[in-house]
Protein backbone atom coordinates (compact mmCIF):
# COMPACT_ATOMS: atom_id res chain seq x y z
CA UNK A 1 0.00 0.00 0.00
CA UNK A 2 1.04 3.61 -0.57
CA UNK A 3 2.97 5.47 2.12
CA UNK A 4 1.15 7.65 4.61
CA UNK A 5 1.95 10.91 2.81
CA UNK A 6 0.39 9.70 -0.45
CA UNK A 7 -2.59 8.28 1.39
CA UNK A 8 -3.24 11.71 2.90
CA UNK A 9 -3.05 13.28 -0.57
CA UNK A 10 -5.61 10.77 -1.88
CA UNK A 11 -7.88 11.43 1.09
CA UNK A 12 -7.69 15.20 0.53
CA UNK A 13 -8.45 14.87 -3.20
CA UNK A 14 -11.50 12.69 -2.56
CA UNK A 15 -12.77 14.84 0.32
CA UNK A 16 -12.80 17.90 -1.94
CA UNK A 17 -14.87 15.97 -4.50
CA UNK A 18 -17.54 15.32 -1.86
CA UNK A 19 -18.09 19.00 -1.00
CA UNK A 20 -21.74 19.98 -1.16
CA UNK A 21 -23.11 16.42 -1.27
CA UNK A 22 -25.79 15.23 1.13
CA UNK A 23 -25.21 11.51 1.66
CA UNK A 24 -22.13 9.42 0.90
CA UNK A 25 -21.81 5.67 1.50
CA UNK A 26 -18.64 3.61 1.83
CA UNK A 27 -18.51 -0.16 1.37
CA UNK A 28 -16.43 -2.74 3.20
CA UNK A 29 -12.61 -2.81 3.02
CA UNK A 30 -12.37 0.82 1.87
CA UNK A 31 -10.20 2.70 4.38
CA UNK A 32 -9.12 5.56 2.08
CA UNK A 33 -12.70 6.41 0.98
CA UNK A 34 -13.87 6.06 4.59
CA UNK A 35 -11.25 8.51 5.84
CA UNK A 36 -11.99 10.92 2.98
CA UNK A 37 -15.72 10.80 3.65
CA UNK A 38 -15.23 11.41 7.37
CA UNK A 39 -12.92 14.32 6.55
CA UNK A 40 -15.54 15.75 4.20
CA UNK A 41 -18.10 15.47 6.99
CA UNK A 42 -15.86 17.45 9.33
CA UNK A 43 -15.27 20.08 6.66
CA UNK A 44 -19.04 20.37 6.12
CA UNK A 45 -19.68 21.05 9.80
CA UNK A 46 -21.32 17.60 10.14
CA UNK A 47 -23.88 18.42 7.42
CA UNK A 48 -22.74 15.49 5.26
CA UNK A 49 -24.45 12.22 6.10
CA UNK A 50 -21.94 9.35 6.17
CA UNK A 51 -22.77 5.64 5.97
CA UNK A 52 -19.86 3.21 6.41
CA UNK A 53 -20.72 -0.47 6.17
CA UNK A 54 -19.17 -2.33 9.09
CA UNK A 55 -19.20 0.68 11.41
CA UNK A 56 -21.36 0.71 14.53
CA UNK A 57 -21.41 4.51 14.74
CA UNK A 58 -21.63 5.45 11.06
CA UNK A 59 -24.03 2.86 9.68
CA UNK A 60 -27.77 3.60 9.83
CA UNK A 61 -28.62 0.38 8.00
CA UNK A 62 -29.85 -2.55 10.07
CA UNK A 63 -30.32 -4.92 7.14
CA UNK A 64 -26.94 -4.58 5.47
CA UNK A 65 -26.64 -4.13 1.72
CA UNK A 66 -30.36 -4.39 1.00
CA UNK A 67 -31.12 -1.09 2.70
CA UNK A 68 -28.14 0.53 0.96
CA UNK A 69 -29.52 -0.63 -2.40
CA UNK A 70 -32.98 0.71 -1.56
CA UNK A 71 -31.43 4.03 -0.61
CA UNK A 72 -29.62 4.22 -3.95
CA UNK A 73 -32.76 3.26 -5.89
CA UNK A 74 -34.71 6.05 -4.19
CA UNK A 75 -32.12 8.63 -5.20
CA UNK A 76 -30.98 9.23 -1.60
CA UNK A 77 -27.31 8.38 -2.15
CA UNK A 78 -25.03 10.96 -3.75
CA UNK A 79 -21.70 9.14 -3.92
CA UNK A 80 -20.16 5.70 -3.58
CA UNK A 81 -16.71 4.20 -4.18
CA UNK A 82 -15.42 1.28 -6.20
CA UNK A 83 -12.05 -0.31 -6.66
CA UNK A 84 -11.34 -3.38 -8.73
CA UNK A 85 -9.07 -6.23 -9.67
CA UNK A 86 -8.79 -4.27 -12.92
CA UNK A 87 -9.79 -0.76 -14.00
CA UNK A 88 -9.53 0.03 -17.67
CA UNK A 89 -9.04 3.06 -19.90
CA UNK A 90 -12.80 3.71 -20.12
CA UNK A 91 -13.36 3.61 -16.36
CA UNK A 92 -14.86 0.12 -16.44
CA UNK A 93 -14.27 -1.98 -13.32
CA UNK A 94 -13.64 -5.71 -12.98
CA UNK A 95 -14.41 -7.19 -9.57
CA UNK A 96 -15.20 -10.71 -10.77
CA UNK A 97 -11.94 -12.35 -11.76
CA UNK A 98 -9.08 -12.73 -14.22
CA UNK A 99 -8.98 -14.68 -17.44
CA UNK A 100 -11.45 -15.47 -20.25
CA UNK A 101 -15.07 -14.88 -19.08
CA UNK A 102 -16.14 -18.48 -19.74
CA UNK A 103 -13.26 -19.96 -17.73
CA UNK A 104 -11.93 -17.43 -15.24
CA UNK A 105 -8.49 -18.43 -14.01
CA UNK A 106 -9.05 -16.56 -10.73
CA UNK A 107 -12.41 -15.60 -9.30
CA UNK A 108 -13.04 -13.03 -6.57
CA UNK A 109 -15.90 -12.18 -4.23
CA UNK A 110 -16.23 -8.43 -4.78
CA UNK A 111 -18.86 -8.46 -7.51
CA UNK A 112 -21.90 -8.22 -5.23
CA UNK A 113 -23.95 -5.04 -5.70
CA UNK A 114 -21.34 -3.11 -7.70
CA UNK A 115 -23.19 -3.08 -11.07
CA UNK A 116 -26.40 -1.98 -9.36
CA UNK A 117 -24.82 0.87 -7.42
CA UNK A 118 -22.70 2.01 -10.37
CA UNK A 119 -25.87 2.39 -12.43
CA UNK A 120 -27.83 4.32 -9.80
CA UNK A 121 -25.42 6.47 -7.80
CA UNK A 122 -24.61 9.74 -9.62
CA UNK A 123 -21.05 10.06 -8.30
CA UNK A 124 -19.00 6.85 -8.31
CA UNK A 125 -15.34 7.49 -7.50
CA UNK A 126 -12.73 4.85 -8.32
CA UNK A 127 -9.81 4.38 -5.94
CA UNK A 128 -6.57 2.35 -6.10
CA UNK A 129 -3.64 2.48 -3.66
CA UNK A 130 -1.35 0.42 -5.91
CA UNK A 131 -1.16 2.18 -9.27
CA UNK A 132 0.40 -0.27 -11.74
CA UNK A 133 -0.03 -1.83 -15.20
CA UNK A 134 -1.56 -5.05 -13.85
CA UNK A 135 -4.52 -3.24 -12.29
CA UNK A 136 -4.84 -0.28 -14.66
CA UNK A 137 -5.32 -2.01 -18.01
CA UNK A 138 -6.45 -1.15 -21.54
CA UNK A 139 -9.49 -3.44 -21.29
CA UNK A 140 -10.84 -5.36 -18.30
CA UNK A 141 -11.24 -9.14 -18.58
CA UNK A 142 -14.81 -8.85 -17.32
CA UNK A 143 -17.02 -5.77 -16.94
CA UNK A 144 -18.54 -5.60 -13.47
CA UNK A 145 -19.48 -1.94 -13.91
CA UNK A 146 -19.05 0.00 -17.17
CA UNK A 147 -17.25 3.31 -17.37
CA UNK A 148 -19.08 6.61 -17.37
CA UNK A 149 -18.21 10.07 -18.64
CA UNK A 150 -16.83 12.26 -15.88
CA UNK A 151 -15.91 9.36 -13.58
CA UNK A 152 -12.91 10.09 -11.37
CA UNK A 153 -10.02 7.74 -10.60
CA UNK A 154 -7.77 8.58 -7.66
CA UNK A 155 -4.61 6.51 -7.19
CA UNK A 156 -1.50 6.76 -5.07
CA UNK A 157 0.27 8.36 -8.05
CA UNK A 158 -2.26 10.63 -9.76
CA UNK A 159 -5.82 11.68 -10.55
CA UNK A 160 -7.69 10.88 -13.77
CA UNK A 161 -11.14 11.61 -15.17
CA UNK A 162 -13.05 10.00 -18.05
CA UNK A 163 -13.42 12.52 -20.88
CA UNK A 164 -14.48 11.49 -24.36
CA UNK A 165 -14.74 7.89 -23.26
CA UNK A 166 -11.18 7.47 -21.87
CA UNK A 167 -9.20 8.51 -18.86
CA UNK A 168 -7.38 11.83 -19.04
CA UNK A 169 -4.70 12.77 -16.50
CA UNK A 170 -5.72 15.68 -14.28
CA UNK A 171 -2.82 15.75 -11.83
CA UNK A 172 0.23 13.86 -10.61
CA UNK A 173 1.30 13.55 -6.98
CA UNK A 174 4.51 14.94 -5.54
CA UNK A 175 7.52 12.97 -6.78
CA UNK A 176 5.73 11.78 -9.94
CA UNK A 177 6.05 12.84 -13.57
CA UNK A 178 3.79 12.39 -16.59
CA UNK A 179 6.40 10.11 -18.16
CA UNK A 180 6.60 8.02 -15.00
CA UNK A 181 2.83 7.67 -14.91
CA UNK A 182 2.74 6.58 -18.54
CA UNK A 183 5.27 3.82 -17.75
CA UNK A 184 3.28 2.70 -14.70
CA UNK A 185 -0.12 2.61 -16.43
CA UNK A 186 -1.40 -0.19 -18.65
CA UNK A 187 -3.35 2.13 -20.93
CA UNK A 188 -2.43 5.20 -22.94
CA UNK A 189 -3.88 8.49 -21.77
CA UNK A 190 -4.01 12.12 -22.76
CA UNK A 191 -3.05 14.93 -20.39
CA UNK A 192 -5.60 17.66 -19.60
CA UNK A 193 -4.67 21.15 -20.79
CA UNK A 194 -4.81 22.40 -17.20
CA UNK A 195 -3.12 19.36 -15.64
CA UNK A 196 -0.82 20.20 -12.73
CA UNK A 197 0.73 18.69 -9.61
CA UNK A 198 -1.90 17.38 -7.21
CA UNK A 199 -2.92 19.75 -4.43
CA UNK A 200 -2.36 17.98 -1.12
CA UNK A 201 -4.14 18.51 2.20
CA UNK A 202 -5.03 22.13 2.82
CA UNK A 203 -4.35 23.94 6.10
CA UNK A 204 -6.51 22.43 8.82
CA UNK A 205 -7.02 19.08 7.10
CA UNK A 206 -4.02 17.56 8.89
CA UNK A 207 -5.46 18.42 12.29
CA UNK A 208 -8.83 16.96 11.35
CA UNK A 209 -7.20 13.75 10.09
CA UNK A 210 -5.13 13.39 13.23
CA UNK A 211 -8.08 14.25 15.48
CA UNK A 212 -11.74 13.41 14.83
CA UNK A 213 -11.16 11.43 11.61
CA UNK A 214 -8.55 9.19 13.21
CA UNK A 215 -10.76 8.67 16.27
CA UNK A 216 -13.73 7.67 14.11
CA UNK A 217 -11.59 5.35 11.95
CA UNK A 218 -10.20 3.40 14.91
CA UNK A 219 -13.40 1.42 15.37
CA UNK A 220 -13.43 0.04 11.80
CA UNK A 221 -9.85 0.40 10.53
CA UNK A 222 -7.57 0.58 13.59
CA UNK A 223 -4.30 -0.17 11.77
CA UNK A 224 -5.07 2.32 9.02
CA UNK A 225 -6.07 4.95 11.58
CA UNK A 226 -2.60 4.78 13.10
CA UNK A 227 -1.07 5.40 9.66
CA UNK A 228 -2.94 8.71 9.43
Amino acid sequence: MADARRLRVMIAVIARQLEGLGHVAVGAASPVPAAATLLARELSGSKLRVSILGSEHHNPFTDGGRELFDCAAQGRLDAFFLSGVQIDATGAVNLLGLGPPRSLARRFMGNFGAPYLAALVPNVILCRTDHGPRTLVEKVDFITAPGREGRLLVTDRGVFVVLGGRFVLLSWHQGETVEGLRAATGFAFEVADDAAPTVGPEPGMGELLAGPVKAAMRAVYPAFAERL
Side-chain angles (χ1 to χ4, degrees):
M1 182 180 281
D3 63 43
R5 177 182 60 82
R6 295 198 179 211
L7 291 175
R8 288 192 289 270
V9 170
M10 294 178 67
I11 290 167
V13 169
I14 296 171
R16 285 192 286 265
Q17 291 295 316
L18 304 179
E19 183 179 357
L21 300 186
H23 183 194
V24 178
V26 182
S30 301
V32 170
T37 304
L38 290 168
L39 176 59
R41 184 194 63 173
E42 295 298 323
L43 293 171
S44 74
S46 297
K47 293 178 181 178
L48 177 64
R49 180 184 175 191
V50 175
S51 299
I52 302 176
L53 297 184
S55 170
E56 294 183 2
H57 301 289
H58 302 285
N59 183 9
F61 307 121
T62 59
D63 196 18
R66 184 163 65 179
E67 285 183 85
L68 174 65
F69 300 155
D70 287 345
C71 189
Q74 294 163 12
R76 296 189 291 114
L77 187 58
D78 298 312
F80 191 71
F81 303 89
L82 288 177
S83 186
V85 180
Q86 296 172 319
I87 298 172
D88 74 16
T90 70
V93 174
N94 173 16
L95 287 162
L96 181 63
L98 300 175
R102 292 181 180 272
S103 58
L104 292 177
R106 295 182 65 190
R107 192 179 182 95
F108 302 93
M109 299 297 291
N111 208 43
F112 179 75
Y116 179 88
L117 291 172
L120 292 173
V121 179
N123 299 287
V124 174
I125 298 174
L126 308 182
C127 183
R128 287 294 314 192
T129 58
D130 56 349
H131 186 133
R134 290 195 301 174
T135 54
L136 302 180
V137 298
E138 176 62 31
K139 185 177 181 180
V140 293
D141 291 348
F142 185 91
I143 297 177
T144 297
R148 180 186 291 180
E149 193 74 1
R151 180 163 292 167
L152 201 72
L153 167 64
V154 181
T155 79
D156 58 328
R157 304 182 76 161
V159 182
F160 299 78
V161 66
V162 177
L163 293 176
R166 289 182 66 92
F167 275 124
V168 172
L169 179 66
L170 290 181
S171 71
W172 53 92
H173 302 340
Q174 182 180 351
E176 297 291 343
T177 64
V178 174
E179 292 73 19
L181 280 172
R182 290 194 192 282
T185 307
F187 54 79
F189 58 82
E190 298 295 326
V191 180
D193 291 340
D194 58 350
T198 307
V199 177
E202 296 161 358
M205 283 186 175
E207 289 77 5
L208 292 173
L209 285 170
V213 173
K214 181 176 179 178
M217 288 284 288
R218 280 198 180 107
V220 186
Y221 300 106
F224 186 88
E226 294 308 313
R227 297 190 70 189
L228 291 178

